Amino acid sequence: MGLLLKDGLVVDPAQDLEAVCDLLIAGGRISRLAPAGTIPAEGHQVQDCRGLVICPGFIDMHVHLREPGQEYKETIATGGRAAAAGGFTAVACMPNTQPVNDTAAVTRFILEQADRAKQVRVYPVAAVSQGSQGKILAEYGELKAAGAVALSDDGRPVANAQLMRRALEYAHTFGLLVISHAEDLDLAGNGVMHEGLVSVQMGLRGIPAAAETVAVFRDCELARLTGARLHIAHVSTAGAVEVIRWAKVRGAPVTAETAPHYFSLTDEAVRGFNTNAKMNPPLRPAADVAAIKQGLGDGTLDCIATDHAPHSVLEKEVEFDQAANGIIGLETAVGLSLKLVQEGVLTLRQMVASLSTHPARILGVGGGTLQEGQPADITVLDPNRPWTVDVEQFQSKSRNSPFHGWQLPGRAVMTLVAGEIRYRHNT
Amino acid sequence: MQTVEAQGLRFRRKDLLGLADLSRAEIQAILNTAVSFQEIATRSIKKVPTLRGKTVITLFYEPSTRTRTSFEIAAKRLSADTVNLTVAASSAVKGETLIDTAKNLEAMAPDIIIIRHACSGAPHLLASRLHSSVVNAGDGLHEHPTQGLLDLLTVWEAKGRLDGLKIAIIGDIAHSRVARSNIHGFRTMGSRVVVAGPQTMLPPYLAELGMEVTYSLAEAVADADVIMMLRLQLERQGQMFFSTLREYSRFFGLNTEHLKLAKPDALVMHPGPLNRGVEIAPEVADGLQSAILRQVTNGVAVRMAVLYLLSGGEASGTAA
Ligand SMILES: [Zn+2]
């Protein structure tokens, strides 16, 4: 007996498909995908999907699950539950744990914990440099063999351009992607928010947009020099979008992501010293937000990834200067992305490509399509089910979201991983 | 000094966190009240029973003898009980959180907590959690509202008005909470504010905030009614903000030659402590146009007014 998703709007950019279809899941795989009414229902459990959108499972290629080391903020199990509840069937977790994921042993531990949690697929991203210290390359071959899908010193950007060059070349040797948190640390200084009108008024030290833009330019040029694949994480500035567009035109093997907060909030959100508006890169002014939306719309920015960064009140209910960077995003990303669709910034198909097709292709992890025979990783959306964000309802262990109280137009209502229902929204 | 109508001069706030939040009428209410308290300093017994039975705590996370002393004298002249707590920055890092410290203090039922902290917004964090009134005695690079108020009082007293005056503020605007409070205060009261310094010390967007910006001390000082020199924090030299003290004092320090460019009765001000010979020449600091010690005297009157108004006192309707 299979599970038949009936009469849903199937949106699968990989197959250039956007049509009302029936989709049959059996043995953990997509066994048939056919026009509505053409798959006999006999012998199957039927799920009426009229008015819903059936998408290849969403993949969040930038999360922090905090395990090992900071389990009081999040664990692979709670982060996995948050992912499923937010409509994600897979996440790629960054290596800035304690210890740093710079060895095969830590990578294997993460995969074992993910197996035990039985929530969503977890793809470990390992460190570029040992301990993310920016000095010696990590063991990329070993890490890849253990299951790492990419490399990044996220949060501790590679300051040395020569090391970045060698990292790209060495990663290319093993067919691994390098994900760059692009930030010039000297320019960023001890800034705690975007350098602009708001920072000047609030007396908070600023991080200029140039701190991101110059680093993006450096890394794009190194990708062109080496031919190695590079992915720019959490793009937040108009300048960075422009540089990535420029590099892509010149054939650089570069892709990029942005996060929902960079297209949903401006640096005005910091007013009142709101520590849930503190992140790195920082929230930018309206002109940058407009450029991010444009970059998503014209494909310069390939993906939407959350940079889900759980922190407890210990790190957030403190002075702004001392508060930790980052916000949780797994359970609001789909709603905020649907808002972009509602505003006409993205088509539904572009949104699905940003959340599924592109991250799957960039990480090289499979999924990202609903072709027959593929594992049944599926996200079912109700684009017209308005809801109010309430952090107390979150599956994540942490509550650090600036979107509490926001009204969002729709949500994921069902998340399936290998045909298993990992989340179902009850009305 | 001009007369101000009693009507509409109300100050009804729980906290004083910054001058950016205050209306012209609110600032005027504080200044009027401060004027009525100035006289107390001239009495042989400098004490009134106004705040008898009230408890005022000063909570200082940065050392500052002068500001703390000024607040303490202000509270004592109003007969409040005062407790001073100085928290070394090093122990605060390892010790309890700001919120926990504040809640512990509040459990002892103080009426007003005066806080100085190296982090911008720390007083706001306290104010949002506490029932007691919170006074910002300087937060990070953000604001130092009582300094701004005492500067306004000093200028008002000397010039009889604030409207239409040219105020030149010179030095490290970027790192100065005094500058921010003064910019808000003087602009709200109708003065024209010109800032000058090397570009390294002038934050962006000052023009958008209504300031005139120049890199030339002479240009800023020309025809000014008030010249306010900011203290140069000497450690900025190692942080790439300027080259040498010698060069800084030559281009951005106030000397008698520059002073001649200003109006003949221009007032020279400085929030202290002075770096004599760096941002201000000794003969200017001690000269006839200097209001530096008057600023200190007025600091007590302004802080008395703030404590009094936050405790529910009525603003004075008229000024002398
Ligand atoms: Zn990052």
Side-chain angles (χ1 to χ4, degrees):
Chain A
M1 181 172 122
L3 172 62
L4 182 62
L5 305 183
K6 240 185 122 33
D7 299 324
L9 175 67
V10 172
V11 178
D12 185 3
Q15 302 184 69
D16 195 21
L17 177 66
E18 189 169 350
V20 178
C21 291
D22 291 347
L23 188 149
L24 181 65
I25 299 157
R29 292 184 177 270
I30 294 164
S31 81
R32 276 199 71 191
L33 173 62
T38 58
I39 303 178
E42 290 80 60
H44 302 307
Q45 187 192 333
V46 176
Q47 176 75 44
D48 181 3
C49 290
R50 273 176 298 180
L52 304 182
V53 182
I54 298 173
C55 314
F58 292 169
I59 300 167
D60 186 347
M61 64 181 295
H62 194 136
V63 303
H64 299 270
L65 296 181
R66 305 300 187 207
E67 190 179 353
Q70 293 184 310
E71 290 85 353
Y72 70 99
K73 298 183 181 190
E74 195 81 286
T75 63
I76 289 167
T78 59
R81 272 203 290 282
F88 291 97
T89 59
V91 296
C93 59
M94 288 295 160
N96 62 338
T97 46
Q98 291 169 1
V100 169
N101 179 15
D102 60 354
T103 58
V106 178
T107 297
R108 278 194 295 268
F109 169 80
I110 291 167
L111 289 170
E112 281 160 19
Q113 289 298 83
D115 272 348
R116 239 168 256 145
K118 283 196 178 42
Q119 293 295 330
V120 299
R121 296 182 201 272
V122 174
Y123 300 121
V125 177
V128 165
S129 61
Q130 292 179 24
S132 287
Q133 300 280 331
K135 300 231 157 63
I136 304 164
L137 298 178
E139 296 171 324
Y140 297 173
E142 299 255 331
L143 287 162
K144 182 172 185 183
V149 299
L151 302 161
S152 181
D153 276 355
D154 184 45
R156 301 194 59 180
V158 179
N160 184 320
Q162 179 72 318
L163 182 77
M164 191 62 175
R165 176 199 174 147
R166 297 304 180 211
L168 282 163
E169 290 170 337
Y170 197 53
H172 200 204
T173 309
F174 296 100
L176 279 171
L177 172 75
V178 175
I179 300 174
S180 166
H181 167 131
E183 178 185 6
D184 184 312
L185 292 173
D186 293 314
L187 264 181
N190 48 8
V192 295
M193 70 171 294
H194 173 73
E195 178 181 307
L197 186 62
V198 181
S199 71
V200 171
Q201 286 177 317
M202 296 184 70
L204 290 172
R205 290 171 209 273
I207 302 170
E212 174 172 326
T213 309
V214 300
V216 169
F217 184 75
R218 180 198 78 173
D219 289 350
C220 285
E221 280 298 84
L222 292 175
R224 291 214 303 155
L225 176 69
T226 59
R229 280 169 59 235
L230 170 74
H231 179 79
I232 307 288
H234 43 56
V235 173
S236 73
T237 68
V241 173
E242 196 61 43
V243 169
I244 293 162
R245 194 178 283 131
W246 178 90
K248 282 185 165 186
V249 166
R250 278 153 190 80
V254 173
T255 52
E257 79 198 22
T258 189
H261 37 279
Y262 301 120
F263 59 69
S264 305
L265 292 169
T266 67
D267 57 346
E268 291 286 335
V270 178
R271 286 201 197 275
F273 300 95
N274 176 10
T275 57
N276 281 336
K278 183 179 178 185
M279 61 274 291
N280 186 18
L283 296 172
R284 307 289 186 183
D288 292 286
V289 173
I292 295 296
K293 289 181 179 178
Q294 204 197 339
L296 274 173
D298 68 19
T300 304
L301 302 176
D302 304 87
C303 306
I304 296 171
T306 63
D307 198 2
H308 181 79
H311 291 295
S312 80
V313 291
L314 295 173
E315 290 88 23
K316 284 294 194 183
E317 293 202 0
V318 294
E319 297 86 326
F320 194 90
D321 283 347
Q322 290 165 11
N325 283 311
I327 61 166
I328 51 174
L330 281 166
E331 293 169 80
T332 46
V334 165
L336 292 164
S337 301
L338 283 168
K339 203 158 172 284
L340 282 191
V341 174
Q342 195 182 49
E343 289 168 12
V345 173
L346 291 182
T347 63
L348 195 55
R349 186 191 290 222
Q350 283 179 306
M351 175 186 140
V352 174
S354 302
L355 285 161
S356 179
T357 327
H358 295 161
R361 195 179 295 156
I362 290 164
L363 290 173
V365 291
T369 177
L370 296 172
Q371 273 158 3
E372 290 176 0
Q374 288 288 317
D377 289 9
I378 297 170
T379 300
V380 182
L381 304 178
D382 187 341
N384 302 305
R385 189 175 303 195
W387 61 290
T388 303
V389 179
D390 177 2
V391 293
E392 295 310 320
Q393 305 296 319
F394 281 176
Q395 298 296 319
S396 171
K397 242 186 197 185
S398 291
R399 299 281 173 268
N400 52 311
S401 170
F403 299 112
H404 180 68
W406 277 43
Q407 178 91 9
L408 297 177
R411 62 182 308 143
V413 290
M414 196 158 69
T415 309
L416 296 107
V417 180
E420 301 283 332
I421 298 176
R422 296 297 187 208
Y423 173 76
R424 190 201 287 268
H425 180 69
N426 301 309
T427 36
Chain B
M1 206 166 279
Q2 71 192 29
T3 309
V4 180
E5 311 86 319
Q7 282 78 15
L9 292 188
R10 283 273 180 279
F11 191 84
R12 287 281 174 273
R13 284 174 185 264
K14 174 178 152 297
D15 312 298
L16 177 68
L17 301 178
L19 295 192
D21 316 327
L22 299 192
S23 68
R24 189 168 183 154
E26 284 176 309
I27 291 175
Q28 191 66 63
I30 298 170
L31 298 183
N32 289 350
T33 308
V35 168
S36 67
F37 280 128
Q38 275 177 325
E39 175 265 330
I40 292 170
T42 65
R43 298 182 191 172
S44 61
I45 297 176
K46 302 177 181 59
K47 203 160 179 134
V48 291
T50 318
L51 295 189
R52 184 181 291 153
K54 302 266 186 191
T55 305
V56 173
I57 296 179
T58 65
L59 176 60
F60 273 52
Y61 286 82
E62 279 184 338
S64 164
T65 318
R66 10 171 101 223
T67 304
R68 195 188 52 67
T69 306
S70 179
F71 269 110
E72 191 178 351
I73 290 173
K76 290 205 157 121
R77 286 192 178 158
L78 293 168
S79 304
D81 297 314
T82 60
V83 182
N84 300 314
L85 286 166
T86 304
V87 187
S90 55
S91 74
V93 170
K94 296 189 190 88
E96 64 185 356
T97 65
L98 178 58
I99 291 174
D100 281 340
T101 303
K103 282 183 177 161
N104 273 287
L105 293 177
E106 179 139 281
M108 296 179 256
D111 298 281
I112 298 177
I113 296 178
I114 296 160
I115 178 175
R116 164 163 293 192
H117 201 288
C119 296
S120 301
H124 305 66
L125 183 62
L126 277 197
S128 69
R129 300 305 172 97
L130 299 185
H131 301 294
S132 317
S133 290
V134 174
V135 177
N136 180 0
D139 65 322
L141 315 178
H142 180 225
E143 282 231 36
H144 190 355
T146 56
Q147 177 74 42
L149 290 164
L150 75 87
D151 289 340
L152 289 168
L153 178 61
T154 304
V155 175
W156 186 37
E157 171 185 75
K159 302 289 175 193
R161 67 188 172 107
L162 292 168
D163 211 44
L165 297 179
K166 178 180 176 181
I167 315 289
I169 305 180
I170 318 289
D172 188 357
I173 310 287
H175 299 95
S176 175
R177 54 194 174 211
V178 175
R180 274 180 182 71
S181 285
N182 270 309
I183 284 165
H184 292 305
F186 279 101
R187 297 248 323 135
T188 302
M189 300 311 283
S191 311
R192 180 182 152 209
V193 179
V194 184
V195 298
Q199 193 181 352
T200 49
M201 292 178 167
L202 299 177
Y205 299 100
L206 289 175
E208 284 82 346
L209 292 171
M211 243 71 53
E212 291 165 56
V213 183
T214 169
Y215 305 138
S216 154
L217 176 74
E219 213 172 279
V221 165
D223 291 318
D225 297 284
V226 175
I227 305 166
M228 190 175 296
M229 302 307 297
L230 298 176
R231 175 179 164 77
L232 180 74
Q233 288 180 290
L234 301 178
E235 67 269 22
R236 300 283 176 228
Q237 188 178 12
Q239 299 167 349
M240 302 181 270
F241 288 97
F242 64 95
S243 60
T244 59
L245 285 177
R246 185 178 148 273
E247 181 168 272
Y248 185 90
S249 68
R250 179 172 164 204
F251 287 92
F252 302 103
L254 186 67
N255 58 35
T256 47
E257 289 306 305
H258 297 131
L259 192 51
K260 287 180 192 153
L261 302 169
K263 293 225 175 92
D265 62 345
L267 216 54
V268 174
M269 299 170 72
H270 190 296
L274 303 175
N275 293 307
R276 284 174 179 270
V278 182
E279 70 267 6
I280 191 162
E283 56 274 26
V284 175
D286 302 331
L288 289 173
Q289 287 167 258
S290 170
I292 295 171
L293 293 177
R294 188 63 191 163
Q295 287 173 273
V296 177
T297 305
N298 283 338
V300 175
V302 151
R303 289 173 179 125
M304 287 171 80
V306 167
L307 297 178
Y308 169 73
L309 292 170
L310 288 176
S311 305
E314 284 296 322
S316 304
T318 53

